[in-house]
Amino acid sequence: MTWPESPLGGRLGDGRFAIATDRPETVDALRQAVVARVGEGLALYPQGGATALDYGGVPRAPGIALDTRSLNQVIDYPAADMTITVEAGITLGMLRSVLAAEKQRVQLDAPHPDRATLGGVFATNTRGPRSFGLGRPRDQVIGVSFVTSEGNLVKGGGRVVKNVAGYDFPRLLTGSMGTLGILTQLTLKVRPIPESSALVWVPFTSLDSAAPALDRLNISATRPVAVELLNRLGSRLAGEALGLPIEDWTLVAGFEDNTESVEWQVNRLMIELGRTNIVIREGTSSDPLWSALTELQAAEVGPLSFVANLRPSSVVSFVKEVDSSRWALQAHAGNGIVRGHATGTSELEGFAPDVARLRALAVRDGGNLILSRCPTEAKAELGVWGEPRADWNIAERIKKTLDPAGVLNPGRFVGTI
Amino acid sequence: MNQGGSGRVSGRVGGTEGGLLFYLSFDTDLQVGSENHTPMSVASTPSLSSRIVSELTAIVGAENVLHQRDELVVYECDGYVIEKSVPDVVVFPTSTEQVVGVVKLCERHQLPFVPRGAGTSLAGGTLAVGGGVMLCLTRMKRILEINTRDRYAIVEPGVVNLWLTRALAGTGFHYAPDPSSQSACTIGGNVATNSGGPHTLKYGVTVNHVRGVELVLPDGSVVQAGGVTEDNPGYDLAGLIVGHEGTFGVATKVTVGLTRDPEAGRTLLGVFESVDAATETVSGIIAAGIVPAALEMLDNLMIQAVEKAFHFGFPTEAGAVLIIEVDGLDAGLDREAQAIAEIVRTHGGSVSKSISWRTRKEPEYVAIWKSRKSAFGAIGRLSPTFCTQDGVVPRTKLPHILRHITRVGERHGLRIANVFHAGDGNIHPILLFDERDPDQVKRVLVASHEILEECIAVGGSVTGEHGIGVEKMEFMPQLFTPEDLATMVALRNMFNPTGRCSPDKMLPGGAGCIERKSPGHRASA
């Protein structure tokens, strides 16, 4: 089998084209497509809204795209139980509007919500600013169904909020990059939409003055749901269009709760930080900034983007080592996640040494540094998934167990997966 | 009830009378797809050879080995007393290296082995099925690191849940999962069963608070899954390992996330004439968009037991009480508490106590939770023996399942007390019986089945936090399809290819068992 040279069959990312795109409208049709295509010797590349097509390693074997967007039904929404069961092809935006009718929401932040599918958000473990206070995707899911490369429909978890029967497929599939199964259905915890929301934008002229504020926030009397740190380039990308003041560094704290609590927290934070030159975006006027902070991770301002995972206390020393004149930085500082976007030039050479140096720092801290965007030709050399981890050998064995033929998203994930 | 179910029930009764007879007579091969597993039996290994005992002694030291029959009997069961099986030897390793040594020895001699913490499992999760070596991890009890700036702690598996809470007192942080058995149960055991507790409604269960696990695999290799940082590249192995019930290996180190203490809270005691009114109130609170930190219910029988034991001041004539707790920032709590009180009154209840607290150490707060968390102990005043069940239903089905439990109790002439996590729909009916009366034992088992099957029928689960263990394996085919189970078995075989690590737990055996269908079977959708 050879790679098609024309994009007519669909795109797989990294400049690779699909032999065809299947768009099954039912789970049974999906299972049949899987069995048929694997029988033809083809690899399977599940897709949702195609918002992260270039994420991960380069597709290794010719195959077909499996477009899951027709699997987009709400299966069961017992609002009073605070759970919802939906098919994986529903977009995050559509899911939000279904929930909003009952004054509820799902605690997920992801860029391009009108295109991004729930299956894609979970397969890629996409998280945003609110994951500090509200949890990551792994904390929202209580049940999954997926189709294996052998065409079996498998489920784990269930539809009730507490359930310890069987192995935890919801966690295993979250962040598995479509390499273990094709997500068809998810059951999520939902929560009431909070009465009030506020973002506090605190500019700093230096990192040294911002650092104590971060330490302070960790033990603040307030309970922020988001703690973000931006450098000047990051601040500009997130805040300039919204008329926010741009300094060398910005700390953004987000609060969500009932009205009394949010008001108290905003006031309290000003006292704790001893600052008055801050900007507060409250209520619906906070929406565009929440959105900008979420979209920032998908910024395409240069050839390369990284995500480092660190201990939160190491964020400041880490970003100090990054050249802020060339990298736009956004840290979910409370979680130790630092996102960097190379800016200004399409030349890769200048940035590659930074990757190696910063990755070593992250690894020394017990974390890692992956490349969320990288030119296809540089992926193998720069290593998109970071420094290999010892537990990848278990990951490879799990992959062999669930996808013995190795046909699901080959080449995309860690190690030989 | 279907045929297979009845077989298990009578087998269980036999098991209580004749030790392992039940397992010896139950000829199923647990290892679907595995060739070389033979179910172990005590009859074939009446005791381990003295050579093996001396090898184990060389690994862990003489003071950390038990092998005399009278010493071993203590370990014949855990909190699930209906089945018993005496291990051939119990070792108390004190380090990961020792666990590796013991596991490798078991591999060499083809011995079954089972990890155990405090033995508080209510589903037989630590039962030494087939005898063999029990690794009791209670001497690996160090808290290795507490880092509040980065919000994690690293502990050995034998650390008791409450010790960590105590070690964190005053730091402004806590470890959120707080099972009712927290004064005894270990973090390792919590990881094995993905334990919950009263505060999971708002804060989540164990898996939401575990970042990393060091796991000794049955072949003796050591895996570091996850770590102190979030989102390490690769599969979420720590997430997969939590809830493995000891079937993947032996957890020797756990990295847990820490949570900020709430600034304040309000804990209300709602009093109701009937269980129905109380459960309707639960739905009312959730429907009002309030997410309490805890929402616990006690029915009349339970109130009486608890009041006799602790004299907290529960109204003994009430049909049910609800402990309703909201926490967070003081500024927002009064309005939430008022809204809850209003919902209680709307459903015909009254608020008999309202505790406004700043720390979880205030005497009245401590007293109410002591009463709740010690409820199982108080049951001893009502009955010599009891069986605590663990089922889950969608929250809105609570009134239905409680009416069902009442009917089941009446039908079988059993007293059933209820104390449970109402906000999660996680019921804990406590069936009272006298284990000396085989007929009562039989009725308890049948009644338990009828309750759990109804949980499945309304879309719930047969376990919210205690695990499948040996107790509930037969329900797995009702919750999961053959494809689901085959996938789980394949994963288990990957970690545990010989099946000697925690044999005959969690996943049911033979194809006949998997194929059977019950009226409560739900499609996967």
Side-chain angles (χ1 to χ4, degrees), chain A residues 75 80-83 125 127 132 136 138-139 145-146 152-157 159-169 171-172 174-176 179-180 185 189 191-192 195 214-215 217-223 257-261 264-265 309-313 335 337 365-368 370 385 389 391-392 394-395 397-399 401-402 413-414 417, chain B residues 145 148-152 173 193-194 197 200-202 205 207-208 210 217 223-226 228-237 239-240 244-245 247-248 260-263 286 289 291 329 331-332 335 392-396 421 424 426 459-461 463-468 476 479-481 483-484 487-488 490-492 494-495 506-507 522 524-525:
Chain A
I75 304 292
D81 291 328
M82 292 201 295
T83 62
N125 184 30
R127 62 186 294 184
F132 177 60
R136 293 179 272 164
R138 79 195 285 279
D139 300 314
S145 298
F146 57 97
N152 291 324
L153 181 64
V154 174
K155 72 169 184 301
R159 290 192 189 177
V160 282
V161 292
K162 266 169 96 178
N163 182 5
V164 298
Y167 295 137
D168 200 335
F169 292 149
R171 248 54 58 187
L172 179 62
T174 300
S176 66
T179 59
L180 297 176
Q185 187 175 299
K189 294 197 233 179
R191 285 286 187 251
E195 194 176 87
L214 276 179
D215 288 338
L217 265 179
N218 187 51
I219 49 164
S220 164
T222 68
R223 296 291 185 276
D257 203 344
N258 67 21
T259 315
E260 293 92 329
S261 165
W264 181 85
Q265 292 187 78
N309 61 316
L310 313 157
R311 292 170 214 239
S313 62
N335 297 89
I337 303 295
D365 198 48
N368 217 321
I370 67 164
W385 292 111
R389 285 172 56 89
D391 66 5
W392 287 1
I394 299 292
R397 286 163 61 188
I398 291 175
K399 166 76 174 178
T401 303
L402 266 66
F413 206 31
V414 301
I417 298 170
Chain B
E145 185 184 355
T148 56
R149 177 61 183 88
D150 295 321
R151 301 191 175 192
Y152 69 82
F173 292 82
T193 55
N194 193 11
T200 61
L201 172 55
K202 182 171 175 183
V205 295
V207 74
N208 303 114
V210 170
L217 298 187
V223 179
Q224 305 290 342
V228 296
T229 55
E230 293 181 356
D231 290 352
N232 280 298
Y235 299 134
D236 184 357
L237 296 183
L240 175 65
H244 73 121
E245 298 199 31
T247 61
F248 288 167
R260 283 298 303 278
D261 293 344
E263 185 198 29
I286 303 286
V291 182
L329 292 161
R335 185 151 63 91
V392 193
V393 296
R395 293 170 242 253
T396 46
H421 314 304
D424 296 315
N426 187 186
S461 174
T463 174
E465 53 186 12
H466 299 172
I468 296 293
M476 291 293 274
L479 283 169
F480 295 105
T481 65
E483 288 80 15
D484 302 338
T487 308
M488 290 182 195
L491 259 186
R492 195 266 321 271
M494 186 223 95
F495 282 101
M506 192 175 185
L507 295 169
R522 277 164 59 87
S524 61

Side-chain angles (χ1 to χ4, degrees), chain A residues 96-179:
Chain A
R96 283 176 179 164
S97 64
V98 168
L99 292 166
E102 299 288 341
K103 298 194 176 66
Q104 292 182 332
R105 67 171 181 179
V106 61
Q107 302 187 134
L108 296 168
D109 289 324
H112 312 303
D114 293 331
R115 285 197 288 133
T117 62
L118 197 61
V121 168
F122 274 87
T124 56
N125 184 30
T126 298
R127 62 186 294 184
R130 274 176 277 227
S131 58
F132 177 60
L134 308 182
R136 293 179 272 164
R138 79 195 285 279
D139 300 314
Q140 319 302 336
V141 58
I142 55 179
V144 291
S145 298
F146 57 97
V147 170
T148 67
S149 62
E150 289 165 312
N152 291 324
L153 181 64
V154 174
K155 72 169 184 301
R159 290 192 189 177
V160 282
V161 292
K162 266 169 96 178
N163 182 5
V164 298
Y167 295 137
D168 200 335
F169 292 149
R171 248 54 58 187
L172 179 62
L173 269 287
T174 300
S176 66
M177 290 291 289
T179 59

Side-chain angles (χ1 to χ4, degrees), chain A residues 201 230-248 250 292 296 324-325 328-329 343:
Chain A
W201 178 274
L230 308 165
N231 70 354
R232 178 177 285 272
L233 288 170
S235 304
R236 226 184 247 162
L237 288 169
E240 201 156 54
L242 302 174
L244 290 159
I246 308 299
E247 286 286 350
D248 276 357
T250 310
L296 182 52
S324 269
S325 70
L329 292 176
T343 61

Side-chain angles (χ1 to χ4, degrees), chain B residues 13 33 66 93 110 124 131 134-135 168 171 184 205 228 237 264 302 312 385-386 392 408 430 435 441 508:
Chain B
V13 176
L66 298 179
Q110 306 207 345
M134 178 176 278
L135 288 98
L168 288 163
T171 63
V205 295
V228 296
L237 296 183
M302 205 61 240
F312 172 76
T385 330
F386 58 91
V392 193
V408 167
I430 302 174
E435 72 174 335
V441 174

